[in-house]
Amino acid sequence: MPEVPDVRFLTVAEVAELMRVSKMTVYRLVHSGELPAIRFGRSYRVPESAVADALQRPISDVG
């Protein structure tokens, strides 16, 4: 039997809480491709490692 990688997936609500943004912001990041996610039925799950990577990236200047 192949070994399954130990990946933890978070819901959009959990990601929003960790990043301290709204759920709509998380959806925008997912749809733009800035935050990788997997779709399960009608909901999305985001790998915990992707959230950690996103929080480590520098914030780009607006304008």
Side-chain angles (χ1 to χ4, degrees):
M1 185 169 172
E3 189 173 319
V4 178
D6 188 24
V7 178
R8 181 166 181 241
F9 289 94
L10 303 172
T11 64
V12 169
E14 290 171 329
V15 173
E17 186 177 328
L18 281 172
M19 296 180 79
R20 294 186 167 189
V21 297
S22 70
K23 289 192 294 186
M24 183 54 76
T25 299
V26 176
Y27 282 116
R28 285 186 190 121
L29 291 170
V30 167
H31 287 291
S32 71
E34 292 182 56
L35 191 61
I38 297 172
R39 190 164 183 177
F40 288 104
R42 295 183 64 188
S43 62
Y44 288 93
R45 297 293 187 270
V46 180
E48 190 174 39
S49 59
V51 176
D53 291 344
L55 290 173
Q56 296 298 320
R57 284 191 300 242
I59 300 171
S60 60
D61 292 329
V62 177

